[in-house]
Amino acid sequence: MAELITKFEALGLSADKAKEAAANKKIAPTLDSLITATGQTAFTKSIGMLIYALAATVAKEKTPHADYIACAIVASRIATTEQLGAATKFCAKSNPSANEAAFDEACGVGVMVSDEEIAASVQSAIFDSKESLTNERYRGMSKVLGVVKRLPELRWADFGKVKAEFDAQILALLGPKDERDTPAAAKAAAAPKAAAPAAAATASKASEPVKWKPAPLENLFTSGEISRLHKAGENPQIKPELTKQHLAATKGSVITRFPPEPNGLLHIGHAKAINVNFGYAKVHGGTCNLRYDDTNPEAEEQEYVDSILEMVRWLGFEPHNIFYSSDYFHQLYDLAIKLTEKGLAYVCHCTGPEIKAQRGGDERGPRYACKHRDRPVAESLAEFQKMKEGRYASGEAILRMKMDIQSDNNMMWDTVAYRILYASHHRTGTEWCIYPTYDFTHCLCDSFENITHSLCTCEFIMSRESYYWLCDAVEVYKPVQWEYGRLSVTNTVLSKRKLLKLRDKGLVRALDDPRLFTLPALRRRGVPALAINAFVRELGVTTADTTIDVVRLDNHIRDCLGEIAPRIMAVTHPLRVVLTNLPEDHFEQIVLPFKPNDESLGTYTVPFTRVLYIDSSDFREVDSADYFRLAPNKPVGLQGLSRAITCTEVRRNVDGSIAELVCHYDTSSGETKPKPKTFIQWVADCPKLGSPVRLDEVRVYNPLFKHDNPMGVGEGSDAYLSDVDLESLVVVKGAIAEVGLWDWIKKYAATEVGRKELEKHNVETVRFQFKRIGYFALDKDTVMTAADIENGQFGSAKLIMNRIVTLKEDPKKGLA
């Protein structure tokens, strides 16, 4: 078993997925045979996933010549799922070894479809459907995507690229989703047309600016198995009266729970769990509890308890009740006694290696019962009492459930119910020295709270049988467990142990380091909770574990920030410019919008003077045809102004570096006025108005890891540490911004939301788009008082900025 798991992990399967595959009696031998046929011991993830898909197909359909296909995958002749499907169809009728040319032709081997060809084909299909898309909007998108999928010229294209191009072009045509794309809007569109006045009113409303927002929660639960889950009270019970008691307590309402263990910070995967559990209850008119699974006092801390609740609320959800597993310690203990009295639990004194041997050991040998399994009930009760009284050392005794040691399900192999831990609990102190395990606690707490739908990730699918067994064994109400796939993203690790190791080795500053994907880290970086919810809801709820390219999360962040973030000018590497044809006391005030074409964000005023600063990356001493910014004797526009400047002289320091640029400010008008090809940002030198605003630090966060899958780099459990990019954090000193920065902070602080956030020092909610650079937010290391906000640029604030995400078109602009 262990050898198979290692072999399957080499394909790129997660540890859990590899274990699941190794335990599958149909897939395991097929997959093992295919790996052997390739002659390889290590695989890229894309190749490994195709071989796994082939094994699943072979196990189901008995596909002949599978070894040949596996070798074709390793040789990169078969590189997509479309090609794999064609290969299995070909092999079902013909021998590929006898006619390789026909195989290659049937499977598109060697056919390359360029990005340009993909873009052109997608554009043509969308153009042909433009009228229906304009009317149906996103409701008609799947129909058009179906057309794109069937295009012969795209049959062998990388579907990931096709889908990305399709999504980008649809977004360009329709804009972000809004209320016109909700299920309610779909029903309204299908209803008979209203009278003319009502139609005119609807059209007027649709023409108003619509703020970006995530897809409705309903979208998570309108398709797939989760849309067909049981209603409250439909799950059978061991005794009919348990159903009656349950319905009397719940009145038929849906009740879910989010049950994190408070031993670490929540991460991006938990965002899915929060949306699923709270969302399912909300959509069905029910309630969701937050229950802390606090049964391990050695790992749990109040810091994590507080953070978990804060993150749930940050994502926009409020628990109906807040419970702790420790609330039920006495009830759980009583049920452990009951289970023992029924002869379904016993105290065991075996060591860890002895229990492992009883379960077949590494060699997966025969399983056999513990020698304590059949001890008298009275003896087990007495021994359990000794455990409770602290008369055994930790590890000397455990309470095990008497289940089914010969079951194919390892969760039925006499799982541990109670163990001894001499540690102070964060809520109960030293009252207890025995603590229930997750496998004993979880289902019973669900029962106590009348949970109707116990929604959990697929890693607990094997626990479903033991979950039901225990509820029935102690004759309590039995909720229904349903599993869905976990969510992860590329370029990171989410394991609590691994995160702690990164911190302890100084590779990140803290567990909320903005390069991580814990929820506090994402919030600190400035990522809006709305963007995370949108990302999760786009993916839907299936039973497959998914690792999503972090680029998709970034896109949602940009979409959200594009609506809510004001635009201001900032310069990360200032270069002094003197406009010598203006008088030394020249002073103008320029009114600029916080967001072009959106009056709702308002305007602000900046000074324009003889001396200003531009970014050093916006100037070159040697011009070229493909360069459109400032160069000697070449005009370039200044953003917010209709006139251009032209560099006439470069002044240098003693060491030869550029000290400042001498420029001419165009004052011509009419036809003689030059038309610059581009405009650059600038910040005026005007001390009396506090310009420029000095930024103490601009922290530029790049991916923490060098590879998409840091766990696939090297050997050993800590190999991921070698994949850390030690240059992933760039701290820029000396950056400046225009005074609009203070205007926005004061404007934001004057709102009720802004006042409350800044009072709690949640400064990451102060976000900006630095034009042509990226999106940024204040970091919690910022020092800014109420007086600073009131006085604006005259304050003594220390401003620290985090880059949230790059701009699409120019990700490295201004940050080198």
Side-chain angles (χ1 to χ4, degrees):
M1 181 74 162
E3 183 180 347
L4 273 182
I5 292 172
T6 301
K7 206 170 186 179
F8 294 168
E9 286 179 336
L11 288 173
L13 298 181
S14 67
D16 289 339
K17 195 69 177 177
K19 288 178 184 177
E20 181 183 329
N24 189 308
K25 294 181 179 179
K26 291 185 178 180
I27 290 181
T30 304
L31 188 55
D32 186 21
S33 174
L34 291 176
I35 293 172
T36 301
T38 66
Q40 304 288 321
T41 57
F43 305 84
T44 65
K45 186 165 186 178
S46 59
I47 288 176
M49 292 304 98
L50 282 174
I51 292 176
Y52 180 77
L54 174 61
T57 303
V58 172
K60 184 178 180 181
E61 301 176 5
K62 307 295 183 185
T63 302
H65 312 296
D67 290 354
Y68 182 93
I69 300 175
C71 293
I73 292 172
V74 170
S76 298
R77 293 167 62 205
I78 301 298
T80 67
T81 53
E82 176 70 22
Q83 287 182 306
L84 179 60
T88 56
K89 288 181 181 178
F90 182 92
C91 290
K93 299 179 180 179
S94 307
N95 182 350
S97 300
N99 196 341
E100 291 195 348
F103 175 85
D104 289 354
E105 182 179 357
C107 302
V109 175
V111 177
M112 301 295 293
V113 183
S114 68
D115 293 348
E116 292 76 13
E117 290 171 319
I118 291 174
S121 297
V122 170
Q123 184 180 38
S124 177
I126 289 177
F127 180 80
D128 290 343
S129 305
K130 187 174 181 179
E131 184 177 350
S132 64
L133 280 170
T134 303
N135 292 331
E136 298 179 24
R137 289 183 55 77
Y138 283 89
R139 299 188 301 277
M141 186 174 72
S142 59
K143 181 168 59 179
V144 181
L145 181 58
V147 172
V148 171
K149 287 179 177 179
R150 292 190 292 273
L151 291 174
E153 63 268 29
L154 295 184
R155 182 182 181 190
W156 307 119
D158 182 330
F159 182 71
K161 289 184 177 181
V162 173
K163 183 62 165 59
E165 181 64 32
F166 178 80
D167 289 345
Q169 292 196 28
I170 288 290
L171 182 62
L173 175 65
L174 303 179
K177 287 184 178 180
D178 55 46
E179 63 263 23
R180 291 171 289 176
D181 304 301
T182 62
K187 290 181 181 179
K193 292 186 177 180
T202 302
S204 173
K205 183 176 181 181
S207 66
E208 295 171 1
V210 178
K211 290 291 184 182
W212 179 94
K213 57 184 179 182
L217 268 171
E218 289 85 349
N219 287 17
L220 280 175
F221 312 110
T222 54
S223 62
E225 189 178 343
I226 198 168
S227 68
R228 301 185 295 273
L229 295 186
H230 66 287
K231 294 180 181 179
E234 289 185 348
N235 42 317
Q237 303 295 325
I238 195 169
K239 291 182 176 180
E241 57 264 32
L242 294 174
T243 298
K244 295 178 182 178
Q245 294 168 5
H246 168 70
L247 290 174
T250 65
K251 303 297 189 290
S253 295
V254 166
I255 304 176
T256 63
R257 80 291 170 270
F258 173 57
E261 182 180 359
N263 65 347
L265 300 183
L266 300 183
H267 55 64
I268 187 68
H270 291 111
K272 178 177 180 179
I274 291 169
N275 270 267
V276 169
N277 282 283
F278 283 90
Y280 189 85
K282 185 175 181 180
V283 165
H284 291 87
T287 58
C288 181
N289 300 328
L290 169 62
R291 183 175 73 239
Y292 294 101
D293 177 33
D294 59 339
T295 60
N296 183 5
E298 294 179 328
E300 294 147 5
E301 298 178 20
Q302 188 62 39
E303 170 194 354
Y304 300 135
V305 171
D306 297 339
S307 175
I308 287 169
L309 178 58
E310 191 175 0
M311 290 301 98
V312 168
R313 287 173 170 164
W314 179 59
L315 289 179
F317 299 99
E318 184 63 35
H320 181 67
N321 291 298
I322 297 176
F323 294 127
Y324 298 79
S325 293
S326 55
D327 291 337
Y328 308 109
F329 276 173
H330 288 281
Q331 289 170 263
L332 292 167
Y333 174 76
D334 289 343
L335 288 179
I337 293 292
K338 180 177 181 179
L339 193 69
T340 307
E341 288 175 339
K342 293 182 69 174
L344 295 176
Y346 61 96
V347 172
C348 168
H349 302 281
C350 295
T351 64
E354 287 173 336
I355 293 175
K356 184 175 181 180
Q358 294 160 17
R359 293 173 171 175
D362 292 332
E363 296 75 25
R364 300 168 64 191
R367 296 188 292 276
Y368 56 92
C370 161
K371 62 185 178 182
H372 307 102
R373 195 173 198 262
D374 293 323
R375 70 193 317 170
V377 167
E379 190 176 313
S380 279
L381 288 171
E383 291 297 306
F384 192 39
Q385 179 65 24
K386 290 180 183 178
M387 288 173 59
K388 183 176 182 293
E389 293 172 353
R391 293 163 64 181
Y392 285 115
S394 180
E396 282 188 344
I398 53 177
L399 182 72
R400 296 174 69 180
M401 293 179 274
K402 191 182 294 186
M403 304 166 89
D404 182 0
I405 197 71
Q406 297 304 325
S407 170
D408 290 337
N409 183 349
N410 61 1
M411 295 307 298
M412 295 295 291
W413 295 350
D414 287 15
T415 305
V416 177
Y418 267 83
R419 75 280 202 210
I420 300 168
L421 294 173
Y422 291 104
S424 179
H425 190 276
H426 70 106
R427 296 185 73 237
T428 61
T430 57
E431 178 184 357
W432 297 87
C433 66
I434 55 170
Y435 291 91
T437 61
Y438 173 90
D439 296 300
F440 185 81
T441 304
H442 186 65
C443 61
L444 296 180
C445 288
D446 280 352
S447 179
F448 299 153
E449 294 170 18
N450 277 298
I451 300 303
T452 60
H453 297 76
S454 178
L455 307 175
C456 58
T457 52
C458 286
E459 65 189 291
F460 296 105
I461 193 168
M462 301 296 283
S463 298
R464 189 196 298 184
E465 185 179 357
S466 61
Y467 181 108
Y468 293 162
W469 179 92
L470 181 54
C471 287
D472 285 345
V474 293
E475 300 177 346
V476 297
Y477 158 72
K478 178 173 58 186
V480 171
Q481 177 176 304
W482 184 81
E483 306 86 11
Y484 58 90
R486 289 185 301 178
L487 167 65
S488 185
V489 295
T490 58
N491 297 99
T492 193
V493 295
L494 300 179
S495 157
K496 294 169 185 174
R497 184 189 68 80
K498 291 179 172 60
L499 292 174
L500 287 172
K501 188 157 287 189
L502 286 169
R503 182 199 64 184
D504 295 344
K505 288 187 173 294
L507 296 171
V508 295
R509 295 178 174 181
L511 295 179
D512 67 348
D513 186 298
R515 290 168 290 179
L516 299 176
F517 284 81
T518 63
L519 293 183
L522 290 168
R523 183 175 74 165
R524 181 175 181 176
R525 177 149 54 102
V527 174
L530 281 176
I532 294 175
N533 287 339
F535 171 65
V536 168
R537 295 172 195 178
E538 175 205 32
L539 301 174
V541 184
T542 69
T543 56
D545 287 347
T546 51
T547 299
I548 305 299
D549 194 322
V550 73
V551 169
R552 291 176 66 177
L553 173 59
D554 288 346
N555 287 338
H556 282 289
I557 296 170
R558 289 190 189 95
D559 289 344
C560 183
L561 293 175
E563 287 289 337
I564 66 175
R567 276 71 161 162
I568 66 171
M569 293 185 288
V571 174
T572 54
H573 298 85
L575 178 57
R576 193 170 190 264
V577 172
V578 180
L579 306 176
T580 53
N581 63 318
L582 295 181
E584 291 191 4
D585 61 350
H586 181 82
F587 175 78
E588 294 180 51
Q589 288 192 302
I590 311 299
V591 178
L592 299 173
F594 274 119
K595 184 183 177 186
N597 305 316
D598 186 351
E599 297 179 358
S600 66
L601 294 189
T603 61
Y604 64 102
T605 303
V606 298
F608 175 63
T609 59
R610 184 174 187 262
V611 177
L612 51 87
Y613 297 92
I614 67 171
D615 199 282
S616 60
S617 65
D618 282 332
F619 174 74
R620 281 187 190 175
E621 291 191 76
V622 179
D623 197 8
S624 62
D626 61 348
Y627 183 71
F628 301 104
R629 299 172 199 161
L630 190 62
N633 302 313
K634 176 182 180 179
V636 69
L638 296 178
Q639 288 194 359
L641 297 169
S642 59
R643 302 180 186 279
I645 63 172
T646 303
C647 177
T648 58
E649 181 186 351
V650 178
R651 293 175 179 170
R652 301 186 180 278
N653 296 308
V654 176
D655 62 2
S657 60
I658 299 176
E660 64 181 19
L661 303 179
V662 175
C663 293
H664 179 272
Y665 180 60
D666 177 63
T667 57
S668 60
S669 60
E671 294 182 359
T672 61
K673 180 179 175 181
K675 296 180 180 179
K677 292 184 177 180
T678 193
F679 292 80
I680 62 175
Q681 67 263 44
W682 54 277
V683 178
D685 185 15
C686 184
K688 67 179 181 180
L689 293 184
S691 182
V693 176
R694 305 288 175 181
L695 305 180
D696 289 80
E697 286 186 8
V698 174
R699 297 173 180 173
V700 180
Y701 295 99
N702 294 304
L704 179 62
F705 295 97
K706 300 172 187 175
H707 296 88
D708 287 354
N709 178 21
M711 294 307 299
V713 176
E715 297 181 358
S717 60
D718 290 339
Y720 70 99
L721 296 173
S722 65
D723 197 48
V724 171
D725 182 356
L726 300 179
E727 305 299 323
S728 55
L729 169 60
V730 178
V731 178
V732 178
K733 300 277 191 178
I736 57 176
E738 60 181 350
V739 292
L741 180 144
W742 275 118
D743 289 338
W744 179 260
I745 293 176
K746 288 195 285 186
K747 180 183 178 74
Y748 177 66
T751 66
E752 182 178 359
V753 171
R755 177 180 57 79
K756 289 180 178 178
E757 293 296 328
L758 293 178
E759 282 177 355
K760 294 183 289 186
H761 199 64
N762 292 338
V763 294
E764 73 282 345
T765 56
V766 179
R767 306 179 181 96
F768 301 93
Q769 184 197 107
F770 289 171
K771 294 180 180 179
R772 297 173 54 244
I773 299 176
Y775 291 101
F776 291 80
L778 289 176
D779 182 77
K780 72 178 185 180
D781 289 342
T782 291
V783 178
M784 184 174 63
T785 66
D788 290 322
I789 296 172
E790 180 64 28
N791 295 330
Q793 60 269 27
F794 300 109
S796 57
K798 177 183 177 182
L799 301 177
I800 310 293
M801 286 283 181
N802 291 332
R803 186 174 72 180
I804 307 171
V805 70
T806 62
L807 297 177
K808 288 182 182 179
E809 64 276 14
D810 200 1
K812 299 201 179 292
K813 170 70 185 73
L815 298 173

